[in-house]
PDB file of all heavy atoms in Angstrom:
ATOM      1  N   LYS A 112      -5.357   1.553  -9.194  1.00 89.00           N
ATOM      2  CA  LYS A 112      -6.154   1.070  -8.028  1.00 89.00           C
ATOM      3  C   LYS A 112      -7.229   1.938  -7.549  1.00 89.00           C
ATOM      4  O   LYS A 112      -8.231   1.500  -7.034  1.00 89.00           O
ATOM      5  CB  LYS A 112      -5.293   0.548  -6.922  1.00 89.00           C
ATOM      6  CG  LYS A 112      -4.343  -0.488  -7.378  1.00 89.00           C
ATOM      7  CD  LYS A 112      -3.405  -0.972  -6.177  1.00 89.00           C
ATOM      8  CE  LYS A 112      -2.722  -2.202  -6.845  1.00 89.00           C
ATOM      9  NZ  LYS A 112      -1.741  -2.804  -6.071  1.00 89.00           N
ATOM     10  N   SER A 113      -7.108   3.258  -7.784  1.00 89.00           N
ATOM     11  CA  SER A 113      -7.970   4.228  -7.222  1.00 89.00           C
ATOM     12  C   SER A 113      -9.089   4.807  -8.281  1.00 89.00           C
ATOM     13  O   SER A 113     -10.113   5.298  -7.980  1.00 89.00           O
ATOM     14  CB  SER A 113      -7.395   5.384  -6.605  1.00 89.00           C
ATOM     15  OG  SER A 113      -6.472   4.969  -5.547  1.00 89.00           O
ATOM     16  N   MET A 114      -8.612   4.938  -9.497  1.00 88.00           N
ATOM     17  CA  MET A 114      -9.351   5.618 -10.575  1.00 88.00           C
ATOM     18  C   MET A 114      -9.302   4.992 -11.994  1.00 88.00           C
ATOM     19  O   MET A 114      -8.257   4.398 -12.302  1.00 88.00           O
ATOM     20  CB  MET A 114      -8.828   7.046 -10.719  1.00 88.00           C
ATOM     21  CG  MET A 114      -8.914   7.949  -9.403  1.00 88.00           C
ATOM     22  SD  MET A 114      -8.406   9.579  -9.862  1.00 88.00           S
ATOM     23  CE  MET A 114     -10.021  10.155 -10.648  1.00 88.00           C
ATOM     24  N   ASP A 115     -10.412   5.282 -12.696  1.00 91.00           N
ATOM     25  CA  ASP A 115     -10.299   5.009 -14.182  1.00 91.00           C
ATOM     26  C   ASP A 115     -10.490   6.257 -14.840  1.00 91.00           C
ATOM     27  O   ASP A 115     -11.344   7.103 -14.521  1.00 91.00           O
ATOM     28  CB  ASP A 115     -11.359   4.045 -14.452  1.00 91.00           C
ATOM     29  CG  ASP A 115     -11.237   2.699 -13.995  1.00 91.00           C
ATOM     30  OD1 ASP A 115     -10.067   2.274 -13.471  1.00 91.00           O
ATOM     31  OD2 ASP A 115     -12.323   1.832 -13.864  1.00 91.00           O
ATOM     32  N   VAL A 116      -9.722   6.457 -15.987  1.00 92.00           N
ATOM     33  CA  VAL A 116      -9.891   7.599 -16.909  1.00 92.00           C
ATOM     34  C   VAL A 116     -10.277   7.095 -18.206  1.00 92.00           C
ATOM     35  O   VAL A 116      -9.508   6.337 -18.822  1.00 92.00           O
ATOM     36  CB  VAL A 116      -8.579   8.490 -16.901  1.00 92.00           C
ATOM     37  CG1 VAL A 116      -8.781   9.676 -17.953  1.00 92.00           C
ATOM     38  CG2 VAL A 116      -8.177   8.954 -15.605  1.00 92.00           C
ATOM     39  N   ARG A 117     -11.416   7.506 -18.848  1.00 90.00           N
ATOM     40  CA  ARG A 117     -11.861   6.984 -20.108  1.00 90.00           C
ATOM     41  C   ARG A 117     -11.872   8.118 -21.048  1.00 90.00           C
ATOM     42  O   ARG A 117     -12.477   9.180 -20.777  1.00 90.00           O
ATOM     43  CB  ARG A 117     -13.380   6.432 -19.782  1.00 90.00           C
ATOM     44  CG  ARG A 117     -13.863   5.936 -21.047  1.00 90.00           C
ATOM     45  CD  ARG A 117     -15.384   5.455 -20.582  1.00 90.00           C
ATOM     46  NE  ARG A 117     -16.140   4.740 -21.621  1.00 90.00           N
ATOM     47  CZ  ARG A 117     -16.160   3.417 -21.796  1.00 90.00           C
ATOM     48  NH1 ARG A 117     -15.464   2.633 -20.947  1.00 90.00           N
ATOM     49  NH2 ARG A 117     -16.643   2.937 -22.830  1.00 90.00           N
ATOM     50  N   VAL A 118     -11.312   7.900 -22.227  1.00 88.00           N
ATOM     51  CA  VAL A 118     -11.222   8.885 -23.326  1.00 88.00           C
ATOM     52  C   VAL A 118     -11.392   8.207 -24.734  1.00 88.00           C
ATOM     53  O   VAL A 118     -11.289   7.021 -24.793  1.00 88.00           O
ATOM     54  CB  VAL A 118      -9.837   9.641 -23.250  1.00 88.00           C
ATOM     55  CG1 VAL A 118      -9.495  10.263 -21.888  1.00 88.00           C
ATOM     56  CG2 VAL A 118      -8.541   8.662 -23.597  1.00 88.00           C
ATOM     57  N   LEU A 119     -11.642   9.108 -25.590  1.00 69.00           N
ATOM     58  CA  LEU A 119     -11.662   8.580 -26.997  1.00 69.00           C
ATOM     59  C   LEU A 119     -10.488   9.149 -27.758  1.00 69.00           C
ATOM     60  O   LEU A 119      -9.923   8.446 -28.725  1.00 69.00           O
ATOM     61  CB  LEU A 119     -12.907   9.135 -27.690  1.00 69.00           C
ATOM     62  CG  LEU A 119     -14.184   8.366 -27.166  1.00 69.00           C
ATOM     63  CD1 LEU A 119     -15.418   8.930 -27.784  1.00 69.00           C
ATOM     64  CD2 LEU A 119     -14.200   6.953 -27.315  1.00 69.00           C
ATOM     65  N   GLY A 120     -10.012  10.365 -27.467  1.00 74.00           N
ATOM     66  CA  GLY A 120      -8.811  10.885 -28.313  1.00 74.00           C
ATOM     67  C   GLY A 120      -8.424  12.167 -27.611  1.00 74.00           C
ATOM     68  O   GLY A 120      -9.299  13.218 -27.771  1.00 74.00           O
ATOM     69  N   THR A 121      -7.480  12.324 -26.936  1.00 88.00           N
ATOM     70  CA  THR A 121      -7.064  13.536 -26.106  1.00 88.00           C
ATOM     71  C   THR A 121      -5.658  13.454 -25.610  1.00 88.00           C
ATOM     72  O   THR A 121      -4.947  12.435 -25.961  1.00 88.00           O
ATOM     73  CB  THR A 121      -8.057  13.601 -24.957  1.00 88.00           C
ATOM     74  OG1 THR A 121      -7.956  14.784 -24.327  1.00 88.00           O
ATOM     75  CG2 THR A 121      -7.843  12.556 -23.842  1.00 88.00           C
ATOM     76  N   THR A 122      -5.208  14.506 -24.942  1.00 90.00           N
ATOM     77  CA  THR A 122      -4.034  14.609 -24.262  1.00 90.00           C
ATOM     78  C   THR A 122      -4.184  14.903 -22.815  1.00 90.00           C
ATOM     79  O   THR A 122      -4.932  15.912 -22.482  1.00 90.00           O
ATOM     80  CB  THR A 122      -2.964  15.544 -24.954  1.00 90.00           C
ATOM     81  OG1 THR A 122      -3.495  16.762 -25.066  1.00 90.00           O
ATOM     82  CG2 THR A 122      -2.473  15.085 -26.189  1.00 90.00           C
ATOM     83  N   PHE A 123      -3.542  14.193 -21.897  1.00 93.00           N
ATOM     84  CA  PHE A 123      -3.779  14.440 -20.465  1.00 93.00           C
ATOM     85  C   PHE A 123      -2.571  13.784 -19.832  1.00 93.00           C
ATOM     86  O   PHE A 123      -1.895  12.972 -20.254  1.00 93.00           O
ATOM     87  CB  PHE A 123      -5.135  13.822 -20.001  1.00 93.00           C
ATOM     88  CG  PHE A 123      -5.225  12.299 -19.997  1.00 93.00           C
ATOM     89  CD1 PHE A 123      -4.862  11.591 -18.911  1.00 93.00           C
ATOM     90  CD2 PHE A 123      -5.481  11.687 -21.182  1.00 93.00           C
ATOM     91  CE1 PHE A 123      -4.996  10.096 -18.914  1.00 93.00           C
ATOM     92  CE2 PHE A 123      -5.624  10.253 -21.142  1.00 93.00           C
ATOM     93  CZ  PHE A 123      -5.294   9.531 -20.058  1.00 93.00           C
ATOM     94  N   ASN A 124      -2.465  14.234 -18.449  1.00 92.00           N
ATOM     95  CA  ASN A 124      -1.454  13.665 -17.609  1.00 92.00           C
ATOM     96  C   ASN A 124      -2.069  13.044 -16.418  1.00 92.00           C
ATOM     97  O   ASN A 124      -3.154  13.694 -15.883  1.00 92.00           O
ATOM     98  CB  ASN A 124      -0.483  14.837 -17.229  1.00 92.00           C
ATOM     99  CG  ASN A 124       0.823  14.353 -16.524  1.00 92.00           C
ATOM    100  OD1 ASN A 124       1.694  13.976 -17.180  1.00 92.00           O
ATOM    101  ND2 ASN A 124       0.663  14.338 -15.187  1.00 92.00           N
ATOM    102  N   MET A 125      -1.630  11.924 -15.917  1.00 93.00           N
ATOM    103  CA  MET A 125      -2.088  11.356 -14.849  1.00 93.00           C
ATOM    104  C   MET A 125      -0.982  10.939 -13.913  1.00 93.00           C
ATOM    105  O   MET A 125      -0.047  10.444 -14.303  1.00 93.00           O
ATOM    106  CB  MET A 125      -2.857  10.087 -15.193  1.00 93.00           C
ATOM    107  CG  MET A 125      -3.533   9.330 -14.089  1.00 93.00           C
ATOM    108  SD  MET A 125      -4.507   7.943 -14.685  1.00 93.00           S
ATOM    109  CE  MET A 125      -5.224   7.362 -13.214  1.00 93.00           C
ATOM    110  N   THR A 126      -1.151  11.408 -12.562  1.00 93.00           N
ATOM    111  CA  THR A 126      -0.125  11.033 -11.457  1.00 93.00           C
ATOM    112  C   THR A 126      -0.826  10.112 -10.589  1.00 93.00           C
ATOM    113  O   THR A 126      -1.794  10.591  -9.825  1.00 93.00           O
ATOM    114  CB  THR A 126       0.302  12.400 -10.922  1.00 93.00           C
ATOM    115  OG1 THR A 126       0.777  13.314 -11.867  1.00 93.00           O
ATOM    116  CG2 THR A 126       1.373  12.058  -9.803  1.00 93.00           C
ATOM    117  N   ALA A 127      -0.289   8.944 -10.313  1.00 93.00           N
ATOM    118  CA  ALA A 127      -0.905   7.923  -9.520  1.00 93.00           C
ATOM    119  C   ALA A 127       0.160   7.063  -8.873  1.00 93.00           C
ATOM    120  O   ALA A 127       0.070   5.858  -8.978  1.00 93.00           O
ATOM    121  CB  ALA A 127      -1.929   7.121 -10.418  1.00 93.00           C
ATOM    122  N   TYR A 128       1.118   7.591  -8.179  1.00 94.00           N
ATOM    123  CA  TYR A 128       2.071   6.691  -7.451  1.00 94.00           C
ATOM    124  C   TYR A 128       1.468   6.132  -6.378  1.00 94.00           C
ATOM    125  O   TYR A 128       0.521   6.761  -5.590  1.00 94.00           O
ATOM    126  CB  TYR A 128       3.327   7.751  -7.027  1.00 94.00           C
ATOM    127  CG  TYR A 128       4.023   8.161  -8.155  1.00 94.00           C
ATOM    128  CD1 TYR A 128       3.981   9.489  -8.585  1.00 94.00           C
ATOM    129  CD2 TYR A 128       5.080   7.395  -8.691  1.00 94.00           C
ATOM    130  CE1 TYR A 128       4.660   9.953  -9.500  1.00 94.00           C
ATOM    131  CE2 TYR A 128       5.911   7.787  -9.735  1.00 94.00           C
ATOM    132  CZ  TYR A 128       5.704   9.128 -10.149  1.00 94.00           C
ATOM    133  OH  TYR A 128       6.645   9.632 -11.238  1.00 94.00           O
ATOM    134  N   PRO A 129       1.620   4.885  -6.069  1.00 91.00           N
ATOM    135  CA  PRO A 129       1.144   4.103  -5.010  1.00 91.00           C
ATOM    136  C   PRO A 129       1.208   4.729  -3.633  1.00 91.00           C
ATOM    137  O   PRO A 129       0.213   4.662  -2.764  1.00 91.00           O
ATOM    138  CB  PRO A 129       1.691   2.607  -5.124  1.00 91.00           C
ATOM    139  CG  PRO A 129       2.428   2.689  -6.324  1.00 91.00           C
ATOM    140  CD  PRO A 129       2.626   4.036  -6.851  1.00 91.00           C
ATOM    141  N   GLU A 130       2.323   5.357  -3.380  1.00 93.00           N
ATOM    142  CA  GLU A 130       2.585   5.879  -2.026  1.00 93.00           C
ATOM    143  C   GLU A 130       1.895   7.243  -1.871  1.00 93.00           C
ATOM    144  O   GLU A 130       1.797   7.804  -0.723  1.00 93.00           O
ATOM    145  CB  GLU A 130       4.089   5.968  -1.738  1.00 93.00           C
ATOM    146  CG  GLU A 130       4.755   6.914  -2.613  1.00 93.00           C
ATOM    147  CD  GLU A 130       5.195   6.428  -3.983  1.00 93.00           C
ATOM    148  OE1 GLU A 130       4.899   5.322  -4.411  1.00 93.00           O
ATOM    149  OE2 GLU A 130       6.015   7.260  -4.704  1.00 93.00           O
ATOM    150  N   ASP A 131       1.342   7.876  -2.941  1.00 92.00           N
ATOM    151  CA  ASP A 131       0.751   9.273  -2.860  1.00 92.00           C
ATOM    152  C   ASP A 131      -0.750   9.151  -2.314  1.00 92.00           C
ATOM    153  O   ASP A 131      -1.363   8.112  -2.572  1.00 92.00           O
ATOM    154  CB  ASP A 131       0.716   9.946  -4.161  1.00 92.00           C
ATOM    155  CG  ASP A 131       2.139  10.499  -4.652  1.00 92.00           C
ATOM    156  OD1 ASP A 131       3.009  10.456  -3.852  1.00 92.00           O
ATOM    157  OD2 ASP A 131       2.156  10.826  -5.800  1.00 92.00           O
ATOM    158  N   LEU A 132      -1.098  10.079  -1.603  1.00 92.00           N
ATOM    159  CA  LEU A 132      -2.423  10.082  -0.989  1.00 92.00           C
ATOM    160  C   LEU A 132      -3.496  10.689  -1.982  1.00 92.00           C
ATOM    161  O   LEU A 132      -4.752  10.542  -1.592  1.00 92.00           O
ATOM    162  CB  LEU A 132      -2.427  10.903   0.364  1.00 92.00           C
ATOM    163  CG  LEU A 132      -1.614  10.520   1.463  1.00 92.00           C
ATOM    164  CD1 LEU A 132      -1.601  11.387   2.667  1.00 92.00           C
ATOM    165  CD2 LEU A 132      -2.046   9.089   1.861  1.00 92.00           C
ATOM    166  N   MET A 133      -3.093  11.041  -3.085  1.00 92.00           N
ATOM    167  CA  MET A 133      -3.935  11.786  -4.037  1.00 92.00           C
ATOM    168  C   MET A 133      -3.693  11.187  -5.400  1.00 92.00           C
ATOM    169  O   MET A 133      -2.438  11.070  -5.735  1.00 92.00           O
ATOM    170  CB  MET A 133      -3.938  13.203  -3.973  1.00 92.00           C
ATOM    171  CG  MET A 133      -4.937  14.024  -4.809  1.00 92.00           C
ATOM    172  SD  MET A 133      -4.960  15.763  -4.484  1.00 92.00           S
ATOM    173  CE  MET A 133      -4.631  16.103  -2.744  1.00 92.00           C
ATOM    174  N   VAL A 134      -4.610  11.030  -6.359  1.00 93.00           N
ATOM    175  CA  VAL A 134      -4.376  10.776  -7.710  1.00 93.00           C
ATOM    176  C   VAL A 134      -4.959  11.894  -8.480  1.00 93.00           C
ATOM    177  O   VAL A 134      -6.023  12.436  -8.266  1.00 93.00           O
ATOM    178  CB  VAL A 134      -5.250   9.462  -8.152  1.00 93.00           C
ATOM    179  CG1 VAL A 134      -5.110   9.268  -9.653  1.00 93.00           C
ATOM    180  CG2 VAL A 134      -4.705   8.311  -7.382  1.00 93.00           C
ATOM    181  N   THR A 135      -4.113  12.557  -9.400  1.00 94.00           N
ATOM    182  CA  THR A 135      -4.380  13.702 -10.087  1.00 94.00           C
ATOM    183  C   THR A 135      -4.462  13.314 -11.510  1.00 94.00           C
ATOM    184  O   THR A 135      -3.575  12.685 -12.296  1.00 94.00           O
ATOM    185  CB  THR A 135      -3.342  14.644  -9.876  1.00 94.00           C
ATOM    186  OG1 THR A 135      -3.174  14.951  -8.431  1.00 94.00           O
ATOM    187  CG2 THR A 135      -3.601  15.927 -10.514  1.00 94.00           C
ATOM    188  N   THR A 136      -5.427  13.925 -12.207  1.00 94.00           N
ATOM    189  CA  THR A 136      -5.623  13.915 -13.742  1.00 94.00           C
ATOM    190  C   THR A 136      -5.792  15.364 -14.256  1.00 94.00           C
ATOM    191  O   THR A 136      -6.529  16.050 -13.732  1.00 94.00           O
ATOM    192  CB  THR A 136      -6.847  13.115 -14.071  1.00 94.00           C
ATOM    193  OG1 THR A 136      -6.691  11.834 -13.555  1.00 94.00           O
ATOM    194  CG2 THR A 136      -6.956  12.907 -15.600  1.00 94.00           C
ATOM    195  N   THR A 137      -4.785  15.756 -15.132  1.00 94.00           N
ATOM    196  CA  THR A 137      -4.891  17.112 -15.769  1.00 94.00           C
ATOM    197  C   THR A 137      -5.142  16.941 -17.274  1.00 94.00           C
ATOM    198  O   THR A 137      -4.314  16.189 -17.921  1.00 94.00           O
ATOM    199  CB  THR A 137      -3.619  17.702 -15.459  1.00 94.00           C
ATOM    200  OG1 THR A 137      -3.257  17.619 -14.056  1.00 94.00           O
ATOM    201  CG2 THR A 137      -3.573  19.285 -15.826  1.00 94.00           C
ATOM    202  N   LEU A 138      -6.074  17.718 -17.815  1.00 93.00           N
ATOM    203  CA  LEU A 138      -6.590  17.641 -19.195  1.00 93.00           C
ATOM    204  C   LEU A 138      -5.966  18.789 -19.979  1.00 93.00           C
ATOM    205  O   LEU A 138      -6.101  19.844 -19.675  1.00 93.00           O
ATOM    206  CB  LEU A 138      -8.117  17.589 -19.268  1.00 93.00           C
ATOM    207  CG  LEU A 138      -8.577  17.291 -20.638  1.00 93.00           C
ATOM    208  CD1 LEU A 138      -8.105  15.918 -21.297  1.00 93.00           C
ATOM    209  CD2 LEU A 138     -10.133  17.440 -20.719  1.00 93.00           C
ATOM    210  N   LEU A 139      -5.333  18.456 -21.062  1.00 91.00           N
ATOM    211  CA  LEU A 139      -4.761  19.551 -21.948  1.00 91.00           C
ATOM    212  C   LEU A 139      -5.707  19.684 -23.193  1.00 91.00           C
ATOM    213  O   LEU A 139      -6.102  20.886 -23.454  1.00 91.00           O
ATOM    214  CB  LEU A 139      -3.435  19.093 -22.577  1.00 91.00           C
ATOM    215  CG  LEU A 139      -2.234  19.427 -21.736  1.00 91.00           C
ATOM    216  CD1 LEU A 139      -2.059  18.430 -20.661  1.00 91.00           C
ATOM    217  CD2 LEU A 139      -1.090  19.506 -22.465  1.00 91.00           C
ATOM    218  N   THR A 140      -6.135  18.673 -23.835  1.00 91.00           N
ATOM    219  CA  THR A 140      -7.099  18.644 -24.984  1.00 91.00           C
ATOM    220  C   THR A 140      -8.094  17.590 -24.866  1.00 91.00           C
ATOM    221  O   THR A 140      -7.962  16.529 -24.374  1.00 91.00           O
ATOM    222  CB  THR A 140      -6.448  18.549 -26.322  1.00 91.00           C
ATOM    223  OG1 THR A 140      -5.706  17.257 -26.429  1.00 91.00           O
ATOM    224  CG2 THR A 140      -5.268  19.717 -26.534  1.00 91.00           C
ATOM    225  N   GLY A 141      -9.274  17.740 -25.645  1.00 90.00           N
ATOM    226  CA  GLY A 141     -10.306  16.797 -25.609  1.00 90.00           C
ATOM    227  C   GLY A 141     -11.223  16.784 -24.363  1.00 90.00           C
ATOM    228  O   GLY A 141     -11.476  17.805 -23.861  1.00 90.00           O
ATOM    229  N   LYS A 142     -11.580  15.606 -24.045  1.00 89.00           N
ATOM    230  CA  LYS A 142     -12.692  15.393 -22.881  1.00 89.00           C
ATOM    231  C   LYS A 142     -12.187  14.112 -22.376  1.00 89.00           C
ATOM    232  O   LYS A 142     -12.126  13.149 -22.987  1.00 89.00           O
ATOM    233  CB  LYS A 142     -14.012  15.683 -23.457  1.00 89.00           C
ATOM    234  CG  LYS A 142     -15.091  15.641 -22.322  1.00 89.00           C
ATOM    235  CD  LYS A 142     -16.399  15.776 -23.100  1.00 89.00           C
ATOM    236  CE  LYS A 142     -17.546  15.747 -22.213  1.00 89.00           C
ATOM    237  NZ  LYS A 142     -18.770  15.873 -22.881  1.00 89.00           N
ATOM    238  N   VAL A 143     -12.343  14.047 -21.024  1.00 91.00           N
ATOM    239  CA  VAL A 143     -12.198  12.699 -20.272  1.00 91.00           C
ATOM    240  C   VAL A 143     -13.204  12.577 -19.166  1.00 91.00           C
ATOM    241  O   VAL A 143     -13.707  13.581 -18.562  1.00 91.00           O
ATOM    242  CB  VAL A 143     -10.688  12.558 -19.630  1.00 91.00           C
ATOM    243  CG1 VAL A 143      -9.723  12.561 -20.768  1.00 91.00           C
ATOM    244  CG2 VAL A 143     -10.492  13.585 -18.600  1.00 91.00           C
ATOM    245  N   LYS A 144     -13.488  11.308 -18.889  1.00 91.00           N
ATOM    246  CA  LYS A 144     -14.307  11.075 -17.647  1.00 91.00           C
ATOM    247  C   LYS A 144     -13.482  10.337 -16.706  1.00 91.00           C
ATOM    248  O   LYS A 144     -12.925   9.334 -16.897  1.00 91.00           O
ATOM    249  CB  LYS A 144     -15.520  10.188 -18.094  1.00 91.00           C
ATOM    250  CG  LYS A 144     -16.509   9.895 -16.916  1.00 91.00           C
ATOM    251  CD  LYS A 144     -17.575   9.225 -17.280  1.00 91.00           C
ATOM    252  CE  LYS A 144     -18.507   8.919 -16.029  1.00 91.00           C
ATOM    253  NZ  LYS A 144     -19.752   8.067 -16.386  1.00 91.00           N
ATOM    254  N   VAL A 145     -13.401  10.914 -15.470  1.00 92.00           N
ATOM    255  CA  VAL A 145     -12.562  10.387 -14.462  1.00 92.00           C
ATOM    256  C   VAL A 145     -13.498   9.767 -13.374  1.00 92.00           C
ATOM    257  O   VAL A 145     -14.552  10.538 -12.965  1.00 92.00           O
ATOM    258  CB  VAL A 145     -11.676  11.513 -13.695  1.00 92.00           C
ATOM    259  CG1 VAL A 145     -10.931  10.915 -12.589  1.00 92.00           C
ATOM    260  CG2 VAL A 145     -10.824  12.267 -14.885  1.00 92.00           C
TER     261      VAL A 145
END
Side-chain angles (χ1 to χ4, degrees):
K112 292 182 180 177
S113 300
M114 297 188 75
D115 292 344
V116 177
R117 183 182 184 95
V118 302
L119 293 176
T121 191
T122 52
F123 67 98
N124 193 78
M125 184 173 180
T126 304
Y128 289 101
E130 65 274 8
D131 288 351
L132 299 176
M133 194 174 317
V134 176
T135 304
T136 303
T137 308
L138 183 64
L139 276 80
T140 64
K142 185 176 175 183
V143 299
K144 182 176 182 181
V145 180

